[in-house]
Amino acid sequence: MQNFDWTLIQSFLAVAENGSFSAAGRALNISQPTIGRQIQQLEHQLGTPLFQRDNRGHSLTVTGKSLIDHAQSMKASAAHMSLLAAAHSETLSGVVRITASVVVSQYLMPPILSHIRQQEPEIELELNPSDDTENLLFREADIAVRMYRPTQLDVITRKVGTQKFGLFGAKSYFERSGRPQNLKDILHHDMIGFDRSEAIIQGMQDYGVEVNRSFFKLRCDNQTVYYEAIRAGCGIGVFPLNIAGVDPLVEQVLPEVIVPDLPIWLTAPEALRTSSCIRRVYDFLAEGLTAVAGD
């Protein structure tokens, strides 16, 4: 096969993983017609169809299924080459992509990123607020801030602090509804819960307060929206101390109630240990997150 183009394999994998040309185009940030042309070109080079159209989009043919493992191996090899090249960069310039949870990205990262920009103006920063797990080894991010200890191989990790939580409500809510004096009083207050997670329900049950999903008249999984609901006076909710604890609009109640902590881990691929640019940002993040979280 002559003039084999790696971008065709990228498109093949994107369609296989996302199920349609349009979804693959969005994932790769290219147009649907371009995806279609690239798949057609790859099928022409291989001399066989790779996808068949069905009611749900595009599914792999038998031949396509037989090639998917080889294509993923090529993707891994290309990602490894990219990591090795980045690892040998000695300049303090270039792009560093960071991923962190939506809450950490919105409330904790901006002043840290501002400090990095002031200290290293030649480094470009990309922040991806996401509660999904980004694959560091495929360069979907160079550095990740995790609320759990990563178990992935070939990564370096460092615990930079602990996220502590408490019960908070808007001062306007407490002026209207009063302040709970003990956990049993919570039953007579509006509590903001999660939609799919049962973490708050389980936490209250551990304290002997039996509630179910219907107890929470407002439920939301998006953490930034959840916090805005607290600030707006919708009820009492659980939120990090280092964010809600410094907000003049809200107030902590029942500080004796222990809400489980979450560790904060900083993670990067092992291959990037020798990259001066990424190592510099990694160290700045460790310093900044330790200052705002700590143990």
Side-chain angles (χ1 to χ4, degrees):
M1 188 184 302
Q2 296 181 347
N3 301 321
F4 190 74
D5 188 347
W6 160 241
T7 59
L8 305 184
I9 298 299
Q10 287 182 302
S11 295
F12 168 65
L13 284 171
V15 176
E17 292 168 356
N18 293 279
S20 69
F21 288 180
S22 58
R26 289 192 296 271
L28 296 178
N29 198 29
I30 57 179
S31 68
Q32 178 179 346
T34 298
I35 290 286
R37 286 193 299 270
Q38 290 177 343
I39 295 301
Q40 187 177 36
Q41 182 180 350
L42 181 60
E43 291 177 330
H44 176 73
Q45 290 183 355
L46 294 174
T48 184
L50 300 175
F51 294 97
Q52 55 192 7
R53 188 167 183 83
D54 54 34
N55 293 334
R56 294 176 295 178
H58 290 81
S59 60
L60 289 166
T61 62
V62 173
T63 302
K65 291 177 181 178
S66 70
L67 297 177
I68 193 72
D69 288 343
H70 299 288
Q72 289 174 337
S73 295
M74 292 179 66
K75 179 181 177 181
S77 297
H80 188 64
M81 289 177 63
S82 177
L83 285 173
L84 291 175
H88 287 87
S89 173
E90 297 300 325
T91 61
L92 288 176
S93 64
V95 179
V96 178
R97 185 171 178 80
I98 306 161
T99 184
S101 71
V102 174
V103 166
V104 170
S105 295
Q106 177 161 337
Y107 297 109
L108 300 183
M109 292 295 287
I112 299 174
L113 299 182
S114 175
H115 179 64
I116 297 173
R117 290 290 305 123
Q118 294 173 51
Q119 297 298 315
E120 299 294 345
E122 298 303 314
I123 296 179
E124 301 174 34
L125 301 172
E126 294 178 349
L127 177 62
N128 177 30
S130 174
D131 293 323
D132 296 329
T133 300
E134 306 295 327
N135 194 321
L136 297 177
L137 299 184
F138 285 154
R139 294 304 300 278
E140 293 172 8
D142 297 309
I143 302 172
V145 181
R146 306 285 200 219
M147 309 308 287
Y148 57 88
R149 183 171 189 171
T151 57
Q152 191 176 14
L153 299 177
D154 300 324
V155 297
I156 56 175
T157 62
R158 176 178 174 183
K159 184 181 178 183
V160 295
T162 301
Q163 190 78 293
K164 299 181 183 298
F165 294 82
L167 295 172
F168 290 90
K171 292 180 179 178
S172 61
Y173 171 80
F174 293 130
E175 290 169 1
R176 181 177 72 246
S177 303
R179 292 165 177 78
Q181 300 303 307
N182 54 61
L183 199 55
K184 294 288 186 181
D185 285 353
I186 288 287
L187 294 174
H188 306 293
H189 282 267
D190 292 332
M191 281 285 291
I192 306 172
F194 297 143
D195 183 18
R196 291 181 293 271
S197 170
E198 294 190 352
I200 298 179
I201 294 176
Q202 185 60 57
M204 294 180 69
Q205 289 176 347
D206 290 343
Y207 269 91
V209 180
E210 294 294 330
V211 295
N212 56 31
R213 189 171 185 270
S214 295
F215 170 72
F216 304 93
K217 303 307 181 186
L218 176 60
R219 300 182 290 269
C220 178
D221 285 334
N222 183 294
Q223 292 298 292
T224 56
V225 176
Y226 180 96
Y227 184 53
E228 291 305 316
I230 294 175
R231 299 180 82 241
C234 293
I236 299 171
V238 178
F239 216 71
L241 294 176
N242 58 0
I243 299 172
V246 296
D247 188 335
L249 293 181
V250 304
E251 177 183 330
Q252 185 180 8
V253 292
L254 306 180
E256 69 276 10
V257 174
I258 305 299
V259 181
D261 301 335
L262 286 177
I264 303 177
W265 291 87
L266 202 57
T267 308
E270 172 69 29
L272 295 178
R273 184 185 292 274
T274 57
S275 169
S276 299
C277 183
I278 294 176
R279 186 73 211 193
R280 182 71 165 158
V281 174
Y282 187 94
D283 290 340
F284 271 124
L285 290 174
E287 177 184 358
L289 289 169
T290 299
V292 298
D295 280 315

